[in-house]
Amino acid sequence: MAHAALLNSTAPAPIVSTTPEVAAFDTASAARYLGIGKTTLFAEIKAGRLPARKAGNRTLIVRTDADAWLAALPARTAA
């Protein structure tokens, strides 16, 4: 009978994400995520405003660094 009670339960099912969040982006994905071009991405890396890491020949941007870069951009004020 306990099994029948579980089937008739009105409790919502837990939400399970089917797309895991990535920990880091390659440069093309980071530019797309940030909404900027690759030239701007590399300029921000060179200026030291966006940290990048190297894994072999690949340049990677950690998601938390990308989010922090976005948060540090100046807010647009209404004109």
Side-chain angles (χ1 to χ4, degrees):
M1 282 297 179
H3 182 58
L6 287 175
L7 292 176
N8 294 329
S9 174
T10 57
I15 298 173
V16 178
S17 174
T18 57
T19 55
E21 301 230 353
V22 296
F25 302 103
D26 62 16
T27 54
S29 298
R32 227 177 2 264
Y33 178 75
L34 294 169
I36 59 175
K38 284 179 66 175
T39 302
T40 302
L41 179 84
F42 283 109
E44 290 297 296
I45 292 169
K46 185 176 181 180
R49 292 184 289 264
L50 180 60
R53 290 159 174 79
K54 293 294 281 186
N57 289 333
R58 296 184 68 187
T59 300
L60 299 173
I61 310 299
V62 176
R63 176 185 290 273
T64 54
D65 291 336
D67 291 337
W69 180 85
L70 278 173
L73 291 176
R76 183 174 176 193
T77 58

